[in-house]
Amino acid sequence: MSTPPFRADVVGSFLRPAELAAARRRFAAGDIDAEALRIAEDTAITELVAREADAGLALATDGEFRRAWWHFDFFGFLDGVEIVELDHGIQFQGVQTKPHGIEVTGKIGFSDTHPFLDHFRSLKDVLERTTGAVPKFSIPAPTVLDFRLEPDHIAASAYDGREDIVDDLVAAYRGALAAFYAAGARYLQFDDTAWAYLCSEVELEKARERGIRTDGIAERYAGILNRILDGKPDDLVVTTHVCRGNFRSTWISSGGYEPVAEQLLGNTGYDGYFLEYDSERAGGFEPLRFLPEGDKTVVLGLITSKTGDLEDVDAVTQRIDEASAFAPLDQLALSPQCGFASTEEGNLLTEEEQWAKVREVVDIAADVWR
């Protein structure tokens, strides 16, 4: 496959090298300035894209090396949005994240000074000078902001509740797509935990406790996304990664895709879907029957990013064959189930184990789709 998503692909984040992690700690402690941190990030990203090419990938990401969080860093630089301290974090299995949350303080918007635009430009420049790979860049989906936003964290001076933010949220994301496209982006990904939580009655109950009306929520989210994606340039590929939670190798959501598959696969304007299929918590491949025939691709996340143990190649190949009973093989691809470091802490495996996983994805994909 010569255009994204590729037969062998990755979700985006990679373990932070020790030198970069140390630089971030020194910056937080005030021992180095922002310029010194940027140089450390630039060095680490240049080395990363070389390793991505060596592993055989046709694309490259910046590993999210300039971020602490996969979502809060982006949301915190939207106009009218702040990241605040809460009295609780996000509860994973046996561990809780740092107590951060989203607060809407004013009119939501996307400014051309958003730092992620420079982050993308830097990645693109490195690739043009080095490997020539396709730059892939990820941002959190708008549905994540909606799903994680607690009702008392919307300023009454700005909006009259949750539904009132939708028009500005859509406009902000349409502005973001236009800005990234103007900067040269042709492969973007919306990272999204909300769809996976809609497959879990436990998470739906938590959402109702936060004041979210869950009846018809899949249709509502499809509508929001389509308003953003409608009219995007034909040569801008936008995919989504449906994440079940990824923090220090733990998880949040269980449940197959059946409750959302028709809306997600059949009724949203994405070009591709990265779906986690690394454990029984994801259910079977039957929901793939909702994938329309044509150009859309489901990227099967059959290689776990949560442990360093390599999967059995024959078992992965067999699972791809099983998936092809419900969606055409030429509309399928392969990737790790998630990134390797959705937050700067990273998952519990080594860098060499991480790269062995990526090489396995490339090798299996080359064999299956030869």
Side-chain angles (χ1 to χ4, degrees):
M1 191 179 295
S2 60
T3 57
F6 297 97
R7 297 294 190 201
D9 216 305
V10 292
V11 169
S13 66
F14 286 93
L15 296 172
R16 280 37 166 191
E19 296 83 358
L20 177 58
R24 292 185 68 90
R25 288 194 297 270
R26 292 198 298 272
F27 176 73
D31 296 332
I32 62 173
D33 61 15
E35 177 62 15
L37 176 61
R38 185 193 62 77
I39 291 171
E41 291 168 343
D42 289 348
T43 300
I45 290 167
T46 299
E47 294 171 354
L48 172 68
V49 300
R51 295 207 68 169
E52 290 176 284
D54 288 344
L57 294 172
L59 70 142
T61 78
D62 66 1
E64 301 180 8
F65 281 2
R66 303 186 197 273
R67 311 183 199 180
W69 300 81
W70 66 276
H71 55 336
F72 287 147
D73 289 41
F74 179 84
F75 289 147
F77 284 102
L78 291 177
D79 299 339
V81 179
E82 294 183 10
I83 304 305
V84 296
E85 294 286 328
L86 303 178
D87 61 2
H88 60 279
I90 300 171
Q91 186 63 53
F92 283 71
Q93 298 298 313
V95 65
Q96 193 173 107
T97 65
K98 297 171 184 175
H100 291 175
I102 302 163
E103 185 158 322
V104 174
T105 59
K107 181 180 172 64
I108 297 173
F110 183 87
S111 169
D112 61 8
T113 60
H114 196 294
F116 275 38
L117 289 171
D118 279 342
H119 297 176
F120 170 77
R121 294 185 187 104
S122 177
L123 172 64
K124 182 174 179 288
D125 289 347
V126 169
L127 292 173
E128 288 175 347
R129 296 196 309 269
T130 57
T131 69
V134 174
K136 175 180 181 176
F137 202 77
S138 62
I139 62 176
T143 45
V144 175
L145 188 149
D146 181 271
F147 196 80
R148 279 294 169 198
L149 184 59
E150 300 187 16
D152 58 349
H153 282 241
I154 304 172
S157 59
Y159 296 104
D160 184 20
R162 183 182 305 277
E163 290 300 325
D164 200 28
I165 74 171
V166 170
D167 287 348
D168 286 345
L169 185 62
V170 166
Y173 268 80
R174 287 180 67 92
L177 288 186
F180 279 109
Y181 186 83
R186 297 298 181 268
Y187 186 12
L188 294 175
Q189 178 175 288
F190 285 4
D191 289 330
D192 200 334
T193 51
W195 287 99
Y197 297 163
L198 301 189
C199 301
S200 165
E201 186 53 43
V202 172
E203 294 305 315
L204 284 172
E205 180 58 33
K206 292 179 184 176
R208 288 188 282 268
E209 292 172 358
R210 293 198 301 273
I212 295 177
R213 181 171 55 82
T214 58
D215 291 344
I217 192 170
E219 291 81 359
R220 177 174 177 268
Y221 280 171
I224 290 172
L225 291 166
N226 285 336
R227 289 178 62 190
I228 293 166
L229 296 169
D230 283 350
K232 73 175 180 64
D234 290 340
D235 61 339
L236 174 62
V237 172
V238 182
T239 64
T240 188
H241 168 238
V242 179
C243 180
R244 296 169 180 274
N246 188 46
F247 175 68
R248 302 295 285 159
S249 293
T250 59
W251 52 274
I252 294 178
S253 179
S254 292
Y257 296 102
E258 190 68 26
V260 302
E262 185 171 9
Q263 288 298 323
L264 177 62
L265 301 180
N267 295 329
T268 63
Y270 284 124
D271 300 298
Y273 306 86
F274 286 71
L275 301 183
E276 300 192 352
Y277 269 113
D278 64 320
S279 77
E280 294 180 355
R281 292 183 296 105
F285 295 120
E286 291 82 359
L288 300 184
R289 70 189 185 277
F290 290 107
L291 183 71
E293 285 193 35
D295 297 330
K296 287 175 176 278
T297 301
V298 166
V299 186
L300 301 169
L302 296 170
I303 307 295
T304 189
S305 67
K306 295 185 184 300
T307 73
D309 297 333
L310 282 177
E311 282 75 6
D312 178 84
V313 171
D314 290 338
V316 174
T317 302
Q318 176 62 31
R319 296 203 72 199
I320 296 171
D321 184 62
E322 292 169 3
S324 70
F326 301 98
L329 183 62
D330 64 1
Q331 287 182 249
L332 300 176
L334 181 66
S335 76
Q337 134 270 339
C338 193
F340 293 94
S342 298
T343 67
E344 61 187 341
E345 290 85 356
N347 283 349
L348 304 181
L349 72 167
T350 68
E351 286 190 66
E352 287 312 310
E353 289 171 334
Q354 164 187 265
W355 289 110
K357 296 267 183 176
V358 175
R359 289 192 296 271
E360 185 173 55
V361 167
V362 171
D363 292 343
I364 292 173
D367 182 59
V368 170
W369 288 281
R370 61 173 179 260

